[in-house]
């Protein structure tokens, strides 16, 4: 069977790590087996959907390397949903309800006070045509519910194993609002059938919905896809991420300097038995993906892990890959420079400050002028790859300093910083003239 999955974001906000993980797992599962990935924009809520958010979704997915094989907008398919709704109405499976939100809320409270589950009582099924007409005359417009079979619906979940939902314990779901707006469920099922979606992969918070959706698939005569419900993401402290997702949008993370492969490696491997390391590519991540590796516990999203993976990705990046980005930052000082400084990068933009060490200006930190003068006195005339070991040996002999007392003052003078790249590699790049000026305490 050819695998075909879909990601159906709503363009009413930015993509964040929660829904991107859903997109990623869909993509990894399909692409790892030669399948197709469909981007389906859920823009049926025309009032809240915006072109800006839609374009942001596309930008974020492409930046992460998650391109799609098909793309659809649900707002262009209302005729398909109307046709499906008409079929369900004709079958008696979609029925009109006239209760207001306040009336339904009072009814639920009464049921709870009596120790009963707050399930819709299907009172609307008993309405006469005259009663419906009276409601219409009042100005009420119906919302439409799908009449469930009230049975145990079972499926083999790729992530959770055997799963069952008793639809007798559920309220008949509302598929169409009073204002005629289709809610997510019916368009999703219609599109899954007509687009030949084979697998629906999402968070475990949708498990209960699956029972009702399977009944809608069956009522419309469509093939029921396979389902996978993943454990949700939690923070490093084990608490829900929901209140913090605004600060975890992909666009913000891009602005903060995170690498796409660090984000996809992190989201693709947390909560699995795979080691939390950077993948060679998102394609390689797909080749190694399997639901059997996914645990049942919530996956812990820890920014410290992402930071580590981001650094790992940069430390492994070759100069040819880095060069176009270095050029944009005016920080391409050659392959030797890149190889010398990349082990010190946490974010790519850090390279700008490291290039300044070589080109200047650097304001030296001279804690002991006599030490600096002695170092200047023994500075070799020729600055090449042998500079650092030759020079530090001479400074040691001249001053008696050794270990940290020898190397730290020289680092502070040449770079103005207590930490940084391997001095043996970068000192020759600084050049003799700048070294001399910095030893004299001049900004150079």
């Amino acid at each position: 069977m050819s695998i075909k999955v879909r990601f159906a974001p709503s363009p009413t906000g930015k993509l964040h790590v929660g829904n991107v993980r859903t997109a990623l797992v869909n993509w990894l599962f399909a692409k790892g087996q030669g399948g197709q990935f469909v981007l389906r924009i859920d823009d049926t809520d025309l009032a809240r959907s915006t072109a800006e958010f839609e374009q942001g979704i596309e930008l974020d997915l492409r930046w992460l390397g998650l391109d799609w094989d098909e793309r659809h907008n649900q707002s262009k398919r209302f005729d398909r949903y109307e046709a499906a709704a008409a079929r369900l109405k004709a079958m008696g499976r979609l029925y009109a309800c006239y209760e207001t939100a306040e009336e339904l809320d009072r009814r639920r409270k009464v049921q709870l006070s009596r120790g009963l589950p707050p399930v819709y009582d299907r009172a609307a099924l008993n309405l006469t045509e005259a009663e419906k007409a009276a409601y219409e005359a009042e100005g009420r417009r119906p919302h439409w519910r799908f009449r469930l079979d009230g049975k145990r619906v079972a499926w083999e979940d790729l992530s959770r194993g055997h799963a069952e939902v008793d639809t007798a314990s559920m309220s008949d779901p509302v598929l169409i609002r009073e204002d005629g707006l289709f809610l997510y469920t019916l368009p999703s099922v219609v599109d899954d059938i007509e687009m030949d979606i084979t697998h629906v992969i999402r968070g475990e918070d949708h498990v209960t919905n699956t029972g009702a959706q399977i009944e809608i698939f069956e009522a419309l005569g469509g093939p029921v896809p396979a389902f996978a419900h993943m454990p949700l993401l939690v923070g490093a402290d084990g608490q829900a991420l929901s209140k913090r997702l605004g600060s975890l949008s992909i666009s913000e993370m891009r602005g903060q300097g995170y690498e796409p492969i660090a984000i996809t490696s992190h989201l693709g491997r947390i909560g699995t038995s795979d080691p939390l390391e950077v993948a060679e590519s998102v394609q390689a991540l797909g080749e190694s993906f399997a639901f059997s590796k996914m645990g049942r516990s919530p996956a812990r999203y820890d920014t410290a892990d992402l930071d580590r993976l981001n650094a790992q990705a940069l430390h492994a990046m070759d100069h040819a890959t880095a060069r176009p980005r270095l050029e944009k930052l005016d920080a391409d000082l050659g392959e030797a420079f890149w190889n010398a400084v990349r082990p010190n990068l946490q974010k790519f933009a850090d390279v700008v400050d490291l290039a300044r060490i070589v080109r200047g200006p650097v304001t030296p930190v001279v804690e002991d002028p006599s030490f600096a003068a002695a170092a200047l006195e023994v500075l070799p005339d020729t600055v090449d790859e042998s500079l650092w070991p030759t020079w530090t040996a001479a400074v040691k002999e001249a001053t008696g300093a050794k270990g940290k007392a020898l190397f730290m003052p020289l680092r502070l003078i040449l770079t103005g910083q207590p930490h940084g790249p391997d001095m043996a590699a970068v000192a020759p790049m600084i050049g003799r003239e700048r070294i001399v000026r910095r030893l004299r305490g001049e900004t150079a």
Side-chain angles (χ1 to χ4, degrees):
M1 177 181 64
S2 178
I3 289 172
K4 193 174 187 182
V5 303
R6 46 75 166 176
F7 175 54
S10 175
T12 56
K14 296 180 178 181
L15 287 186
H16 52 70
V17 294
N19 46 31
V20 162
R21 178 170 176 253
T22 299
L24 174 65
V25 172
N26 272 278
W27 194 96
L28 296 177
F29 174 73
K31 294 301 181 178
Q33 301 179 68
Q36 293 182 295
F37 176 77
V38 176
L39 174 60
R40 196 166 75 205
I41 302 296
D42 177 7
D43 55 353
T44 54
D45 187 343
L46 300 177
R48 296 177 60 231
S49 298
T50 72
E52 180 183 0
F53 284 132
E54 185 174 333
Q55 291 161 7
I57 288 168
E58 293 183 353
L59 173 64
D60 288 344
L61 291 176
R62 284 203 175 102
W63 180 71
L64 291 169
L66 307 181
D67 216 336
W68 46 89
D69 301 288
E70 292 179 21
R71 188 195 177 288
H72 304 276
N73 279 72
Q74 291 188 316
S75 61
K76 301 186 186 307
R77 293 177 50 79
F78 284 123
D79 60 328
R80 307 304 304 149
Y81 313 143
E82 294 285 2
R87 286 177 57 199
L88 293 174
K89 290 174 184 178
M91 296 161 58
R93 297 299 296 272
L94 196 61
Y95 62 98
C97 303
Y98 290 86
E99 297 94 343
T100 65
E102 293 75 14
E103 289 168 346
L104 289 171
D105 187 53
R106 282 198 300 272
R107 199 174 295 176
R108 280 191 293 266
K109 288 177 179 176
V110 170
Q111 289 171 308
L112 288 169
S113 69
R114 294 175 178 172
L116 300 173
V119 175
Y120 180 64
D121 60 8
R122 293 181 167 173
L125 286 173
N126 300 317
L127 290 175
T128 65
E129 291 304 316
E131 288 171 326
K132 291 179 184 178
Y135 280 131
E136 297 273 355
E138 287 180 21
R140 294 198 191 195
R141 294 292 177 265
H143 57 272
W144 295 81
R145 291 181 183 266
F146 177 78
R147 181 172 55 79
L148 295 167
D149 282 332
K151 64 182 182 181
R152 296 200 72 80
V153 178
W155 70 94
E156 296 304 316
D157 198 284
L158 275 69
S159 180
R160 299 167 61 85
H162 184 75
E164 290 188 13
V165 171
D166 185 359
T167 61
S169 65
M170 301 167 56
S171 293
D172 290 341
V174 176
L175 301 190
I176 307 174
R177 296 193 327 192
E178 292 87 345
D179 59 4
L181 181 72
F182 288 99
L183 298 181
Y184 167 80
T185 306
L186 183 59
S188 178
V189 171
V190 171
D191 288 348
D192 286 344
I193 293 172
E194 297 189 0
M195 296 174 190
D196 300 317
I197 300 301
T198 62
H199 294 74
V200 174
I201 302 168
R202 54 194 180 183
E204 62 183 9
D205 51 333
H206 288 283
V207 167
T208 303
N209 305 337
T210 300
Q213 288 170 359
I214 287 176
E215 288 200 16
I216 300 172
F217 275 105
E218 293 171 344
L220 290 174
V224 178
F227 289 90
H229 293 90
M230 305 177 292
L232 300 179
L233 289 180
V234 295
D237 56 2
Q239 300 301 307
L241 277 181
S242 55
K243 293 182 179 178
R244 285 173 275 167
L245 287 177
S247 62
L248 294 171
S249 72
I250 298 303
S251 59
E252 286 194 22
M253 294 171 75
R254 181 167 60 248
Q256 292 165 2
Y258 286 104
E259 299 296 310
I261 192 61
I263 296 172
T264 51
S265 296
H266 188 213
L267 292 175
R269 287 180 168 169
I270 52 175
T272 75
S273 58
D274 282 334
L276 195 53
E277 302 293 338
V278 168
E280 182 179 333
S281 65
V282 71
Q283 289 78 14
L285 201 59
E287 291 167 7
S288 66
F289 176 83
F291 279 108
S292 60
K293 298 179 180 181
M294 192 172 285
R296 291 295 300 275
S297 300
R300 289 183 179 261
Y301 182 91
D302 189 341
T303 304
D305 287 330
L306 176 59
D307 288 339
R308 177 178 61 81
L309 294 179
N310 201 72
Q312 190 181 103
L314 294 172
H315 299 171
M317 187 180 294
D318 61 32
H319 180 247
T321 303
R323 183 187 295 129
R325 296 168 66 183
L326 291 170
E327 289 173 348
K328 285 184 179 180
L329 295 172
D330 189 27
D332 184 18
L333 304 187
E335 185 172 3
F337 166 77
W338 172 252
N339 291 339
V341 302
R342 66 181 178 179
N344 295 90
L345 299 175
Q346 298 300 309
K347 303 286 177 63
F348 193 92
D350 296 345
V351 74
V352 173
D353 288 333
L354 295 172
R356 191 175 295 116
I357 288 174
V358 172
R359 291 190 303 205
V362 166
T363 299
V365 177
V366 183
E367 296 178 333
D368 183 350
S370 62
F371 176 89
L376 176 58
E377 185 68 28
V378 296
L379 179 67
D381 292 332
T382 302
V383 171
D384 56 22
E385 289 74 13
S386 66
L387 169 67
W388 190 251
T390 303
W391 184 33
T392 53
V395 175
K396 178 180 178 181
E397 184 175 343
T399 64
K402 57 184 178 180
K404 186 176 181 180
L406 170 64
F407 298 112
M408 183 57 72
L410 290 175
R411 176 180 290 279
L412 288 169
I413 291 169
L414 296 192
T415 72
Q417 302 292 330
H419 306 288
D422 178 13
M423 293 303 298
V426 299
M429 300 179 195
I430 296 172
R432 195 176 193 283
E433 180 182 346
R434 289 193 188 91
I435 292 174
V436 168
R437 292 184 61 189
R438 294 175 193 179
L439 286 167
R440 289 173 175 165
E442 300 173 14
T443 296

